[in-house]
Each structure stands twice: as C-alpha cells, then as structure tokens.
C-alpha cells in the first residue's frame, strides 16, 4: 500500500525495493520457551506507531546488532528480519528515516515499519503476529547471543 508521500517528514522516503530485508532487534524479554513473541513486531506507545528496523542494504545484521547493543546500550539477543513485501502484504509501509534532521541520533540505515494508520490494538497484534511468523520461518539472521 504505497503512500503518496504527503505524510512523510522531510528526509523520509518509502522503501520500495520489495526484496529489501529489514533487521529487527530481539529483546530478551520477547523470547518465551524458545519462541519469539509477536511483541517483536508490535510498536509500543513510545514508538508512536514507528517500529524501528534497520535496512539490510546499508548494514549487516551483525553490525546492526553491535550498534544497537554497544553504541546505543540497548538489549538485544539477536536479529530477525522481514522483507518489504511482507510488510506491504499486511497493509503497512517501510519508511527510511535515516536522513531526518530532527536532532535525534539514528543508527546507520535506520527505518521504521509504519503502524501510524493502525489504531486498533487488535489489528496491530494481528499484523505483528503475521510478521513474526514470516521472520520465524527465516530464522535468526544474527545470534542469538547470551
């Protein structure tokens, strides 16, 4: 579901390469009994509908993980991924915001899965579950680390 660009901020653009993979960091709390939960692809209130991912065309899964943990000091035990087609298949868009100049420090190749148009928590969870299932079939792209 491509956008017309009118809802994008200066420096943002929709990622249209449907084969582009999007790395998603896996917080240790999102793994239960060896399986990653749908929280992996569910935006939290602090995300404001923008689920952070990193573009595989810009940075490797390992480098994205190292930046997330070593530079940003955040927790991650590894990396899962979905591709842009899978994001579009659930009615969402992938947006590169790595060049937005708003004073925030972004990781190299930063992007987000745009959930802003999905107001229902039930619909967010349904989409997140589908994306988690797609990522799970692909398996770990980096990690898991202890």
């Amino acid at each position: 579901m491509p956008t017309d660009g009118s809802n994008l901020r200066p420096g943002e653009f929709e990622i249209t390469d449907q084969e582009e993979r999007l790395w998603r960091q896996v917080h240790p709390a999102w793994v239960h009994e060896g399986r990653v939960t749908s929280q992996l692809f569910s935006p939290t209130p602090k995300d404001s509908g923008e689920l952070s991912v990193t573009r595989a065309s810009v940075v490797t899964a390992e480098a994205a993980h190292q930046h997330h943990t070593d530079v940003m000091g955040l927790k991650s035990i590894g990396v899962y991924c979905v591709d842009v087609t899978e994001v579009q298949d659930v009615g969402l868009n992938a947006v590169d915001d790595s060049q937005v100049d708003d004073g925030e420090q972004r990781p190299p190749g930063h992007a987000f899965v745009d959930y802003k148009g999905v107001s229902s928590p039930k619909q967010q969870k349904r989409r997140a579950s589908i994306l988690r299932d797609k990522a799970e079939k692909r398996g770990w792209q980096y990690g898991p680390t202890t």
Side-chain angles (χ1 to χ4, degrees):
M1 182 168 58
T3 67
D4 63 5
S6 63
N7 62 341
L8 299 177
R9 297 172 291 197
E12 290 181 343
F13 63 90
E14 186 177 344
I15 303 168
T16 56
D17 177 358
Q18 295 190 327
E19 294 179 8
E20 169 109 39
R21 289 193 171 181
L22 305 169
W23 308 132
R24 179 72 177 147
Q25 300 299 322
V26 180
H27 190 282
W30 300 338
V31 180
H32 293 281
E33 297 177 5
R35 187 160 187 226
V36 177
T37 69
S38 65
Q39 283 177 283
L40 177 63
F41 289 102
S42 296
T44 65
K46 74 170 181 58
D47 295 326
S48 301
E50 298 179 0
L51 184 81
S52 289
V53 293
T54 309
R55 298 183 66 182
S57 65
V58 178
V59 66
T60 65
E62 181 177 3
H65 181 265
Q66 288 175 333
H67 189 277
H68 189 81
T69 57
D70 297 345
V71 176
M72 298 179 73
L74 300 171
K75 292 183 179 180
S76 173
I77 61 166
V79 179
Y80 262 36
C81 78
V82 291
D83 63 32
V84 171
T85 298
E86 292 163 341
V87 168
Q88 292 173 343
D89 285 350
V90 296
L92 302 172
N93 295 308
V95 176
D96 183 305
D97 67 345
S98 62
Q99 301 304 311
V100 171
D101 186 14
D102 61 2
E104 285 189 36
Q105 187 70 22
R106 288 178 174 76
H110 189 268
F112 64 88
V113 175
D114 188 356
Y115 276 85
K116 292 187 294 281
V118 184
S119 57
S120 157
K122 184 177 179 180
Q123 284 299 314
Q124 284 186 356
K125 184 169 175 58
R126 185 183 70 78
R127 287 171 168 87
S129 293
I130 292 168
L131 291 174
R132 184 272 324 269
D133 290 349
K134 299 282 187 186
E136 195 172 47
K137 285 180 184 169
R138 207 173 267 121
W140 292 99
Q141 301 299 298
Y142 177 76
T145 61
T146 54

